[in-house]
Amino acid sequence: IAVAICVSRCFRRGASRLAVAALLVGTFLATPHAFVYDMPMMTAALALYIEARLESDPVFDLSELMILVLAFMFPVAMMMNTLYLPVSSVPLALLFGLILWRGQPRDVPRLPAQPGVCDLR
């Protein structure tokens, strides 16, 4: 339910690349049925995120690069049968959070300062 709410909030702002990437990644977070043949959807989500990110700012943070590398290694994590933990959901959750974080509007309107209330100038 939380993933569906987050994806719907992304699409309320418009059908952007990040909204579609959130839908693709959110699909695998909401349903725990991702296999190797679902990787074209994950690759499309990564490509949409990178394309939208390069349009806004061409410099990636180290944390973004780490999350993208983990997401690219997602098929390898899915094939690990020796661990009995849901390891493959960690890169998906991180990528989903990164997409949601980047999809937030940056220029939030601020309230005008009222004279005498808390004027630090």
Side-chain angles (χ1 to χ4, degrees):
I1 292 173
V3 170
I5 290 170
C6 290
V7 170
S8 69
R9 290 190 74 205
C10 289
F11 275 98
R12 263 192 224 155
R13 290 187 290 269
S16 65
R17 288 182 181 95
L18 289 176
V20 174
L23 175 66
L24 293 174
V25 175
T27 301
F28 296 116
L29 280 177
T31 60
H33 305 293
F35 295 105
V36 176
Y37 51 78
D38 295 322
M39 289 307 105
M41 286 178 62
M42 285 300 302
T43 305
L46 286 167
L48 287 169
Y49 174 79
I50 290 171
E51 186 178 16
R53 179 69 171 89
L54 287 175
E55 283 180 358
S56 65
D57 185 18
V59 178
F60 286 86
D61 298 333
L62 181 61
S63 59
E64 281 181 294
L65 289 176
M66 298 277 293
I67 292 171
L68 290 173
V69 167
L70 279 174
F72 275 120
M73 298 202 50
F74 176 68
V76 175
M78 283 179 36
M79 297 307 231
M80 293 175 56
N81 291 333
T82 57
L83 296 175
Y84 297 105
L85 300 171
V87 177
S88 63
S89 63
V90 173
L92 285 178
L94 289 173
L95 181 62
F96 189 69
L98 185 64
I99 291 169
L100 293 179
W101 181 66
R102 278 290 168 192
Q104 295 296 320
R106 295 288 178 223
D107 41 332
V108 177
R110 296 179 185 246
L111 294 175
Q114 296 177 358
V117 173
C118 186
D119 197 10
L120 299 176
R121 290 186 249 170

